[in-house]
Amino acid sequence: MATPVDPSAAPIAPAAPVAPAAAAALPRWHGALLPSDLREQRGGKRSARDWIVDVTMFVLALLIGALILSETSGQLSDERIALDILLGLIACSSLWLRRSHPFGIALFTGVIGIAFSMAAGAGLVAYFGAVLRVSPRAIGALTLLALGAAFLTPLLYDNPESYLFEVSFGLLVTAIALGWGLFVRAQRELVRSLHDRAAQLQSEQRLRVEQAREAERRRIAREMHDVLAHRISLLSLHAGALEFRPDAPREEISEAAGVVRATAHAALEDLRDVIGVLRDDDGEAEAGMPEPPQPTLAQVPALVQESRDAGMRVRCGIDLGGRERDALPDTLGRTVYRVVQEGLTNARKHAPGAAVEVEIAAAEDPDRLVVAVLSRRSVVAVAAAEPLPGAGTGLVGLAERVTLAGGELEHGPDARGDFRLLATLPLAAARGDGR
């Protein structure tokens, strides 16, 4: 997000184009009525409004110049009148460049307009256009030029009786052009600031949407890993046992095959639930369908027993310091479940045959809960199929989940070489969704 800037601390800059996102959101007819300064980069293609305004200003400058020349032509020679008309036409033609070179055109026409009547109209139009676009210092310089012209031009003609009137009229016209120009400039800056603000809000909204999508992708990735990695590791363990003992009794092979089938069915059910979340994002899920219940601390014993049935040696102890399991927040219970699940999954994948100890107990701090999964270093070589792949993404996702719950996660080998997964969680409602 861009840092706000104090407008009072920055000089007034030339008109800047509206941000593309805001300009694209304008109706087509609305955009056609905006000046090019508010639609495109400087020097860009003129809008329909610009063509109408430029033609009108050119004609107006010619009419003003012709009117003033007609009033003073009686004191001029034919050669001077021809020169006045020529320079006046050049000055009026230069108005087509007043958008790209506002200060230069205003200075050029203002100087010529002092001595040549036909150029006076072009000088007035160019001065007004410069007030819209140039810096305050440049506006001050051009205003001094216009005031000087108001006093000097009447002196070039032999009409002393009307000098005061002509000076007053010139000052009045200059004040009107300056005031009108500043008003239009302020209006354009307001429009530009509103469009910039709209563009900023659109950008912030897109950023929030992208962040929400990214957070949801990470949540789904964690969910798929936590659920499917556990199921598939169990499936691989049973299949490896069948492969390792093809001569086992028929009853044992039938029982192991039944466990493989049940585990595969459970994995498919879990996969369907996760895919259902993805389809719900695309509006394909049935309206009003409730989300399947998430596991909590109450399901930890069943999770441990499932690993025991697969042949793992797992000891589990749960001591909540006198608290009832149902009294813990569901978000905290889900986090505890996922920690234990990840620890058991990693033990099956990376330390087959090792004894695993699961401890869930209240810490010395009465407001903290400690979840520890310890995989004992195996001293017996275990024959197994090809090791399951692992990239550590499960621990990364688990660390994020624990952090969202307001806790801390540690993992790694201890002094004895056993792998320890330790999570310290607050005994309060978690801050995240806890899924």
Side-chain angles (χ1 to χ4, degrees):
M1 184 184 302
T3 303
V5 179
D6 182 7
S8 62
I12 299 176
V18 175
L26 293 173
R28 187 169 182 178
W29 66 268
H30 188 180
L33 297 180
L34 285 177
S36 58
D37 293 340
L38 297 180
R39 295 176 64 245
E40 304 173 10
Q41 297 293 336
R42 296 172 71 82
K45 184 179 179 181
R46 285 182 173 90
S47 65
R49 175 192 179 279
D50 291 337
W51 280 105
I52 296 174
V53 171
D54 288 347
V55 171
T56 303
M57 291 297 102
F58 177 77
V59 173
L60 181 62
L62 286 177
L63 292 177
I64 294 176
L67 180 62
I68 297 176
L69 180 60
S70 66
E71 294 292 332
T72 59
S73 60
Q75 303 180 33
L76 303 176
S77 63
D78 294 340
E79 292 78 6
R80 173 62 188 276
I81 293 176
L83 179 60
D84 201 311
I85 294 175
L86 176 62
L87 293 178
L89 291 175
I90 293 175
C92 292
S93 300
S94 68
L95 293 178
W96 294 95
L97 303 176
R98 76 184 193 282
R99 299 180 188 277
S100 58
H101 303 85
F103 181 79
I105 297 301
L107 182 63
F108 169 70
T109 55
V111 171
I112 294 179
I114 295 176
F116 297 93
S117 303
M118 191 69 179
L124 179 62
V125 172
Y127 173 68
F128 173 79
V131 171
L132 300 180
R133 298 175 178 85
V134 300
S135 66
R137 182 176 299 180
I139 292 176
L142 294 175
T143 301
L144 290 177
L145 176 62
L147 295 177
F151 285 96
L152 292 176
T153 300
L155 296 177
L156 299 179
Y157 302 96
D158 186 16
N159 192 6
E161 296 180 357
S162 61
Y163 177 77
L164 183 59
F165 172 78
E166 292 180 4
V167 169
S168 301
F169 183 77
L171 295 177
L172 177 61
V173 171
T174 301
I176 292 175
L178 177 62
W180 188 17
L182 292 177
F183 172 76
V184 175
R185 178 182 183 131
Q187 194 176 40
R188 289 189 179 184
E189 288 176 352
L190 176 61
V191 172
R192 186 168 59 253
S193 66
L194 292 176
H195 282 297
D196 289 344
R197 178 59 178 164
Q200 182 181 358
L201 291 176
Q202 290 176 1
S203 177
E204 292 174 358
Q205 178 64 19
R206 286 195 297 269
L207 179 61
R208 285 192 293 267
V209 170
E210 288 299 325
Q211 289 175 342
R213 288 176 177 172
E214 183 63 25
E216 186 66 10
R217 291 190 189 102
R218 290 196 299 267
R219 185 186 73 81
I220 293 173
R222 290 197 308 267
E223 196 71 18
M224 293 184 70
H225 178 275
D226 293 343
V227 174
L228 296 182
H230 172 71
R231 297 293 185 189
I232 293 175
S233 62
L234 284 175
L235 190 64
S236 175
L237 186 63
H238 287 294
L242 290 175
E243 182 182 13
F244 180 65
R245 294 193 57 191
D247 57 345
R250 183 183 183 91
E251 293 78 10
E252 293 184 8
I253 293 179
S254 177
E255 181 181 356
V259 173
V260 169
R261 179 189 59 78
T263 304
H265 178 75
L268 288 175
E269 290 292 328
D270 293 335
L271 180 61
R272 187 186 65 177
D273 293 340
V274 175
I275 292 177
V277 175
L278 291 171
R279 287 179 174 174
D280 183 62
D281 290 341
D282 295 333
E284 297 179 8
E286 294 183 10
M289 178 176 291
E291 186 176 349
Q294 298 294 324
T296 61
L297 181 60
Q299 281 72 47
V300 170
L303 176 67
V304 171
Q305 186 60 43
E306 189 177 46
S307 296
R308 288 172 178 164
D309 294 341
M312 293 182 66
R313 293 176 295 163
V314 185
R315 185 181 68 84
C316 179
I318 301 178
D319 181 10
L320 302 181
R323 296 180 179 85
E324 295 294 334
R325 298 181 186 180
D326 297 339
L328 295 181
D330 290 342
T331 52
L332 177 62
R334 283 194 285 270
T335 303
V336 172
Y337 182 92
R338 296 306 186 193
V339 172
V340 176
Q341 186 182 56
E342 178 67 17
L344 294 176
T345 300
N346 285 339
R348 283 193 297 271
K349 291 168 62 177
H350 306 296
V356 180
E357 297 180 7
V358 177
E359 293 290 340
I360 303 173
E364 296 180 359
D365 183 350
D367 294 329
R368 310 289 286 183
L369 184 69
V370 175
V371 183
V373 181
L374 186 66
S375 300
R376 297 294 184 185
R377 184 176 57 178
S378 178
V379 296
V380 179
V382 178
E386 183 178 349
L388 294 175
T393 56
L395 291 176
V396 173
L398 184 63
E400 184 178 0
R401 185 188 296 273
V402 171
T403 301
L404 289 174
E408 300 176 355
L409 181 70
E410 300 176 11
H411 56 83
D414 60 11
R416 297 178 52 185
D418 301 331
F419 190 87
R420 184 183 66 166
L421 181 65
L422 179 66
T424 305
L425 301 167
L427 283 172
R431 293 191 303 246
D433 62 4
R435 294 179 181 178

